[in-house]
Amino acid sequence: MADAYPKTPMLDELEKGKWPSFVTEIKMAAADNPMGKDLLGLLERSYREKIGHWKHGGIVGVMGYGGGVIGRYNDLPDEYPNISHFHTMRINQPAGWFYTTEALRKICDIWEKHGSGLTNMHGSTGDIILLGTTTDELEPTFDELQKINFDIGGSGSDVRTPSCCCGQARCEWACYDTMGACYDFTMAYQDELHRPAFPYKFKFKFSGCPNDCVASIARSDMSIIGMWRDDIQMDKDAIKEYADGGMDIKADVVDNCPAKCMDWNGKELTIENSYCRHCMHCINVMPKALAPGKDRGATILLGAKAPIVEGALLSSVIIPFIKMEPPYQEIKDLTERIWDVWCEEGKNRERVGEFIQRVGLGNFLEAIEVEPIPEMVAHPRENPYVFYEEYFEEDDGSED
Amino acid sequence: MAKTVEEITEMMYKMISEAQGIKKLKPMDLTKAMKQLLGDEFDKKTCKLAIKNLIDTGRCVYTYFGGSFIELPHKEGAAND
Ligand code: SF4
Ligand code: SF4
């Protein structure tokens, strides 16, 4: 099986159509690397039999690190010997995914030498994913990657590789330096990234504005989303230009404002900023005329996760506004208080969001020393988890 | 007197050895056990350093089975040669 190029009628179907095909990519890799051939054969067989043939291997890694390598073995090693081991390495991507072509070529050269040559750019957490190598090749790959200044990312019960949008590097809407913050947190929490010590994974994602291009609100335990707290900036001449150019400002902008806090009288646009929900809709539709305010920082939200052990959660507001200035000490202090409580009381494989649901937000806030505030309530009367102790003391439970 | 990193390392190593094959221990289980054993002498940072010691010397390894654990190095059932 290993030497013959396998027939793959089912996989071939996935090459039809105009979109890129991972099957084509594996076939290209198979031309030079026997791992690719066996991978095609095993995948075709899995499709035919409707049975997965991968076993999870729990011990592989590099010396001193507890994350970043995901062990994989196939359960038919005699038939597919070249992918008997097929471990994945997660490599910490640069902030904002900015590379030089030279860096990319070096990564690919290293991976062709030590692994299958197949990559996934990028995994859902953001890492560079190097697919398929043997246990013996892990340390040599790691050594070579370190020489070109790349390090392994997170996996298991640790801080996962933080990720961010391109922020101020390319985007005028960035309310803080997402790349700077992402790099700072990555370096500050190296120990937590490489030495799993938590009940389960913990993800940071940094978005420069509420457009949230890295989907932090859905995919990170701590979402740090750029925010402004003054008025939306307006350029009246540019608004007129949009109107003169045929934009229906009432239908396309004002009527779609979720806060219903905008008005257009045919000549002038007004915004009642105190009601604005910072959704970015109007700014996205009229980018030349509107922009986030000048008093910028971030909102911190907590608790998102994809459905694994339990259902999906979006993160919810824990700090409505904070200035984002290095070294971000206030956020780090908050993060460490959250970790302390979660590590002490959290169950195995319980994400922070699930932990908060179990213990109740009121108890959690008390434990991390954060005061409950109205911004934490999604809808009035829908989140009855905040109790005012003074109220009970004064009232003493007796009826008037 | 507070225990040294080396002493905690040995206490943790003993726990891991005794639990091997019976119960998988997470780093937090080790830290919590030290807290119980040492009472007022407990120091989280020393525990962290002791775990680092166990891993960096190769006496123990991290393993992953749905969550991350610390065990003695061994060949797993799932591993191919
Ligand atoms: S999240 Fe906002 S600041 Fe970041 S890239 Fe997207 S639009 Fe720009
Ligand atoms: S950002 Fe959203 S809520 Fe605020 S004014 Fe614009 S459309 Fe309305």
Side-chain angles (χ1 to χ4, degrees):
Chain A
M1 174 62 72
D3 296 328
Y5 198 81
K7 294 231 174 319
T8 55
M10 294 185 87
L11 292 181
D12 295 348
E13 289 297 312
L14 299 175
E15 291 189 280
K16 296 175 185 168
K18 51 193 173 190
W19 42 83
S21 164
F22 73 93
V23 175
T24 309
E25 299 297 324
I26 300 177
K27 283 182 179 173
M28 279 163 65
D32 302 319
N33 190 319
M35 282 184 145
K37 283 185 194 146
D38 275 7
L39 185 60
L40 285 169
L42 185 65
L43 202 53
E44 177 73 17
R45 180 173 179 156
S46 282
Y47 280 23
R48 201 172 55 238
E49 295 176 347
K50 300 193 176 77
I51 294 174
H53 286 286
W54 296 114
K55 297 185 286 182
H56 197 290
I59 284 193
V60 292
V62 296
M63 185 72 172
Y65 282 40
V69 178
I70 294 97
R72 287 281 181 274
Y73 300 98
N74 84 56
D75 64 0
L76 301 165
D78 295 337
E79 291 176 67
Y80 303 95
N82 294 303
I83 51 168
S84 168
H85 298 199
F86 201 71
H87 311 316
T88 293
M89 295 181 84
R90 289 190 186 152
I91 309 302
N92 197 141
Q93 80 284 7
W97 297 284
F98 282 93
Y99 299 91
T100 59
T101 49
E102 191 193 354
L104 287 172
R105 279 179 210 287
K106 282 182 182 165
I107 293 168
C108 291
D109 287 346
I110 291 170
W111 196 234
E112 277 175 3
K113 185 169 151 199
H114 296 288
S116 71
L118 291 166
T119 65
N120 167 11
M121 304 288 274
H122 296 83
S124 57
T125 300
D127 304 85
I128 302 163
I129 306 290
L130 303 180
L131 291 160
T133 192
T134 60
T135 306
D136 288 345
E137 291 294 342
L138 291 170
E139 290 286 353
T141 311
F142 179 50
D143 284 348
E144 288 210 45
L145 285 166
Q146 281 201 315
K147 283 183 195 141
I148 60 163
N149 294 324
F150 280 90
D151 194 6
I152 284 180
S155 73
S157 307
D158 61 13
V159 165
R160 297 301 182 85
T161 314
S163 76
C164 63
C165 75
C166 60
Q168 290 171 346
R170 286 184 60 201
C171 186
E172 63 196 292
W173 291 332
C175 293
Y176 70 96
D177 178 3
T178 51
M179 292 169 61
C182 184
Y183 180 74
D184 184 293
F185 276 69
T186 306
M187 298 314 282
Y189 293 127
Q190 281 290 296
D191 208 42
E192 287 75 8
L193 208 159
H194 297 308
R195 299 178 184 279
F198 296 153
Y200 205 16
K201 63 184 97 166
F202 190 94
K203 298 184 180 186
F204 289 104
K205 287 192 190 293
F206 301 82
S207 278
C209 79
N211 277 338
D212 196 10
C213 290
V214 286
S216 66
I217 200 165
R219 290 167 50 192
S220 59
D221 298 271
M222 184 177 272
S223 326
I224 302 176
I225 301 180
M227 184 52 61
W228 67 95
R229 62 178 167 183
D230 53 351
D231 294 351
I232 290 176
Q233 298 186 68
M234 268 202 242
D235 177 337
K236 291 196 171 146
D237 294 337
I239 293 171
K240 188 172 175 307
E241 253 178 62
Y242 276 115
D244 293 347
M247 178 183 279
D248 186 342
I249 292 180
K250 177 160 179 351
D252 295 342
V253 182
V254 172
D255 289 353
N256 287 328
C257 166
K260 301 287 172 235
C261 66
M262 308 184 85
D263 193 39
W264 169 247
N265 63 10
K267 281 193 185 132
E268 203 185 352
L269 183 72
T270 48
I271 301 176
E272 180 47 60
N273 277 281
S274 59
Y275 285 95
C276 169
R277 295 185 192 168
H278 302 87
C279 76
M280 291 293 291
H281 168 70
C282 57
I283 298 171
N284 291 336
V285 180
M286 298 200 290
K288 284 187 198 160
L290 303 177
K294 288 182 179 158
D295 187 6
R296 297 177 173 192
T299 297
I300 299 182
L301 303 93
L302 208 60
K305 60 173 280 292
I308 301 182
V309 183
E310 289 187 24
L313 291 173
L314 294 179
S315 43
S316 44
V317 172
I318 201 103
I319 306 284
F321 186 87
I322 191 163
K323 282 286 191 186
M324 288 297 286
E325 280 147 13
Y328 315 101
Q329 200 51 51
E330 238 182 298
I331 305 177
K332 286 177 187 159
D333 290 345
L334 172 72
T335 304
E336 285 159 33
R337 289 202 300 277
I338 291 167
W339 287 347
D340 278 349
V341 175
W342 176 47
C343 286
E344 192 66 35
E345 307 289 340
K347 292 184 189 170
N348 191 25
R349 300 197 80 197
E350 185 174 50
R351 296 283 287 271
V352 163
E354 293 161 344
F355 173 67
I356 296 171
Q357 283 196 325
R358 180 166 62 83
V359 301
L361 186 65
N363 293 327
F364 179 74
L365 291 176
E366 202 175 315
I368 62 166
E369 297 159 33
V370 170
E371 285 291 312
I373 46 163
E375 283 89 339
M376 295 170 182
V377 180
H379 304 284
R381 300 180 204 287
E382 244 180 52
N383 302 47
Y385 48 65
V386 178
F387 299 99
Y388 292 91
E389 277 162 22
E390 320 76 279
Y391 174 82
F392 286 106
E393 274 161 23
E394 275 169 28
D395 191 8
D396 205 19
S398 56
E399 308 243 340
D400 286 332
Chain B
M1 207 175 73
K3 293 254 186 279
T4 64
V5 176
E6 286 67 33
E7 285 169 318
I8 306 271
T9 307
E10 291 314 315
M11 289 168 79
M12 286 182 171
Y13 186 74
K14 188 163 177 275
M15 271 187 74
I16 296 165
S17 309
E18 286 170 2
Q20 188 79 5
I22 303 165
K23 186 178 186 313
K24 290 184 191 300
L25 298 174
K26 293 181 78 79
M28 192 44 65
D29 298 331
L30 297 169
T31 308
K32 279 183 182 168
M34 292 303 123
K35 193 175 179 179
Q36 255 192 345
L37 281 172
L38 302 174
D40 289 347
E41 283 182 22
F42 169 78
D43 173 47
K44 214 164 75 178
K45 277 199 186 121
T46 316
C47 288
K48 223 171 152 180
L49 288 172
I51 291 172
K52 190 168 187 285
N53 236 349
L54 288 170
I55 299 293
D56 288 355
T57 54
R59 294 172 79 193
C60 293
V61 288
Y62 285 110
T63 60
Y64 181 83
F65 295 92
S68 302
F69 299 90
I70 295 186
E71 296 181 69
L72 301 184
H74 61 279
K75 185 172 185 299
E76 292 167 50
N80 296 340
D81 288 330

